[in-house]
Amino acid sequence: MSVRLSLLAILDQGPCYGYQLKSEFDRRTGATWPLNVGQIYNTLDRLERDELVEKTEKTSGLKTGNDTDGQVFYQITEAGRREVSGWLGSPVLRSAATRDELAIKLAIAVTLPGIDIGRVIQVQRTATLRNLQDLTKTKNATDDPETSEELAWLLVIDSLIFAAEAEVRWLDHSETRLARAAAAGLAVPLPLSTDVPKRGRPVKSESRA
Amino acid sequence: MNDEVLLQLAGVSQQYGKGATAITALSGVDLTLHAGELVAIMGASGSGKSTLLTIAGGLATPTSGEVIVEGEWLSTMSAKGIAALRRRTLGFVFQDFNLIPALTALENVILPLELDGWTRHKARTAGIDALRTVELADRAATYPDDLSGGQQQRVAIARAVVGSRRIILADEPTGALDSTTGEVVLRMLRRRVNAGAGGILVTHDARHAAWADRIVFLRDGRVVDESASTGVERLLSPAAQL
């Protein structure tokens, strides 16, 4: 979704061909999520089908030469422009319950006997912190951004840094919560339940039984 | 980082009280700080972070274990000797800056040198040098109240490294600063360390600890883990890719 709309937003600046769009996307996002050209052409096909872009002869002032010979240029349509402005003006909604491997792993681990959950947390925290150190080191290698590309790249790096920090904070929080639970005698492993699980869809109410 | 050891804790333990009510703040902690190295200490409240820093700085004497500062064993020294060593070798940076409001930025920076008997002229030259490294030489005559929080903390860093001082002990130095200003302060701290100082940074903030070469975790007064950066630049800046 974000690739489709990002490409559309770039096309709002003028007509582009496939590889040109790839290079524009990469330089505007710090080359953090490089796109392959096949993905670009697939996206352009769908955008064209949805009448958000159309093929054109125009080249938006690109220096033409051998490299652009035979390239198919795409330009944004009015509907495409509305789509871009709608995207930029609305919040990004994340699905509330995306399956997160780490959250699932901790939740399962806490119910298993003989697992040192503190160790599980510490191993993860060390790895996340190492990632955070690497990101910080990379960021520290660049002083104040001097170009828009560097600025865009810094925003992306910051986003990864803050996400890693949030994970560490959640791990800290979980550790404290588990310590309290253990002190209160709550953190006991779950044996397999002896109840036979109900098959099929969950029953909506008991009244029909 | 090079091989020169600036500060070493060997089997350091700290206990408060005696018998059944004794509280162990630190238990058998080993830590070595090299020149050019920034070590972050992380841990929950009460894990012993701040105790470790006060012991490393010679402000408290451990119940057992050794603290060695630039080759000098603190256990063999008098209180007066430790105070002099402290003035010559190490500086503290606190969350609340701890600058003296009645003194200018420069006077704050050179205070430890003057206490150590430096001449006014020599101390001022060293002080301006230190202020220059935190990009505040032009604010030398300014009083702390007329500096922003970030600038005051940079003065505190200059004070921590003035003259021959090369060990920076920082306790939550960005705690009172907003996130962007905090980053500027950490960048300055990192730069001083890269230039040959050594730093211990106590923080509960992972984003700030990540500026360090090593992160040491304390839990209940013990070192439970250590994380060192791999040093591999996974993500290259656009400039570096050209």
Side-chain angles (χ1 to χ4, degrees):
Chain A
M1 198 59 176
S2 63
V3 169
R4 174 176 168 272
L5 288 160
S6 301
L7 296 187
L8 206 51
I10 292 168
L11 281 169
D12 202 9
Q13 307 305 304
C16 295
Y17 64 94
Y19 194 83
Q20 184 187 1
L21 269 177
K22 170 190 160 46
S23 122
E24 287 290 342
F25 178 85
D26 288 353
R27 84 176 175 112
R28 287 164 197 268
T29 54
T32 312
W33 304 279
L35 296 177
N36 65 52
V37 181
Q39 203 176 351
I40 303 257
Y41 280 110
N42 283 338
T43 309
L44 282 170
D45 284 347
R46 275 182 282 126
L47 286 170
E48 192 180 20
R49 180 199 66 198
D50 298 341
E51 298 179 349
L52 300 173
V53 304
E54 59 199 9
K55 295 195 176 81
T56 177
E57 299 296 313
K58 291 181 210 151
T59 63
S60 68
L62 192 75
K63 290 174 200 142
T64 51
N66 290 340
D67 288 349
T68 58
D69 280 355
Q71 296 289 0
V72 180
F73 283 79
Y74 292 82
Q75 72 180 357
I76 195 167
T77 63
E78 247 340 287
R81 289 213 163 84
R82 281 197 299 276
E83 190 86 0
V84 169
S85 111
W87 179 51
L88 293 174
S90 57
V92 173
L93 298 176
R94 299 180 200 276
S95 159
T98 310
R99 278 190 196 157
D100 177 80
E101 185 185 344
L102 180 56
I104 293 173
K105 185 175 166 182
L106 271 199
I108 294 287
V110 80
T111 65
L112 301 176
I115 299 292
D116 182 354
I117 188 86
R119 190 67 210 149
V120 175
I121 290 178
Q122 188 58 41
V123 164
Q124 182 64 45
R125 184 164 42 204
T126 303
T128 308
L129 270 169
R130 189 166 297 147
N131 179 30
L132 193 52
Q133 280 176 281
D134 289 343
L135 287 166
T136 305
K137 193 175 269 186
T138 309
K139 174 174 157 171
N140 191 23
T142 309
D143 263 319
D144 290 330
E146 286 170 4
T147 62
S148 298
E149 282 99 331
E150 279 183 359
L151 184 62
W153 171 78
L154 269 182
L155 290 182
V156 171
I157 291 277
D158 275 340
S159 142
L160 298 173
I161 286 175
F162 277 89
E165 183 202 19
E167 188 166 295
V168 172
R169 286 172 62 163
W170 174 68
L171 289 166
D172 288 346
H173 175 78
S174 302
E175 189 174 52
T176 310
R177 180 181 289 275
L178 286 163
R180 283 205 188 128
L186 278 173
V188 287
L190 291 179
L192 289 180
S193 171
T194 52
D195 292 343
V196 179
K198 293 204 174 67
R199 296 175 63 166
R201 292 185 185 173
V203 180
K204 277 188 181 156
S205 74
E206 297 297 321
S207 59
R208 296 166 72 189
Chain B
M1 187 185 97
N2 59 39
D3 289 341
E4 186 191 356
V5 173
L6 294 179
L7 179 76
Q8 202 172 359
L9 304 187
V12 164
S13 297
Q14 181 72 308
Q15 258 189 9
Y16 298 112
K18 280 204 170 75
T21 57
I23 294 167
T24 303
L26 287 178
S27 183
V29 171
D30 296 313
L31 182 75
T32 304
L33 177 69
H34 297 90
E37 188 181 36
L38 183 62
V39 178
I41 312 285
M42 287 191 83
S45 313
S47 60
K49 303 188 298 273
S50 295
T51 304
L52 186 149
L53 208 64
T54 51
I55 288 177
L59 293 175
T61 309
T63 316
S64 62
E66 284 295 339
V67 181
I68 306 155
V69 178
E70 297 207 355
E72 308 250 21
W73 295 54
L74 298 196
S75 61
T76 66
M77 301 171 73
S78 65
K80 207 173 158 192
I82 292 175
L85 178 69
R86 216 167 41 222
R87 283 198 303 271
R88 278 202 316 276
T89 59
L90 56 87
F92 280 89
V93 179
F94 298 98
Q95 178 171 338
D96 53 2
F97 321 136
N98 270 32
L99 299 178
I100 298 171
L103 302 180
T104 65
L106 180 63
E107 286 163 349
N108 266 286
V109 169
I110 65 175
L111 194 58
L113 301 182
E114 293 193 310
L115 290 172
D116 215 30
W118 288 45
T119 64
R120 182 93 187 166
H121 177 73
K122 209 176 140 203
R124 287 182 70 92
T125 309
I128 293 285
D129 274 349
L131 280 173
R132 194 172 292 130
T133 65
V134 294
E135 294 174 15
L136 281 179
D138 57 331
R139 309 303 299 273
T142 310
Y143 288 90
D145 284 350
D146 296 324
L147 295 169
S148 69
Q151 288 170 334
Q152 289 187 54
Q153 198 60 305
R154 281 151 62 188
V155 171
I157 291 176
R159 183 181 55 188
V161 296
V162 72
S164 58
R165 294 173 135 196
R166 285 204 298 159
I167 302 170
I168 308 167
L169 303 175
D171 196 352
E172 301 280 3
T174 52
L177 305 173
D178 67 68
S179 144
T180 316
T181 311
E183 208 163 86
V184 172
V185 166
L186 286 166
R187 205 179 270 273
M188 300 274 171
L189 185 62
R190 184 71 248 188
R191 195 186 296 166
R192 285 306 302 156
V193 167
N194 290 348
I200 297 181
L201 168 67
V202 164
T203 179
H204 66 273
D205 190 330
R207 202 157 35 83
H208 295 156
W211 286 76
D213 301 293
R214 278 193 291 144
I215 303 174
V216 173
F217 290 91
L218 287 182
R219 189 188 300 144
D220 302 329
R222 287 176 193 279
V223 174
V224 291
D225 204 0
E226 246 189 71
S227 149
S229 167
T230 52
V232 177
E233 298 201 348
R234 279 193 323 109
L235 295 157
L236 293 173
S237 73
Q241 286 175 343
L242 295 176

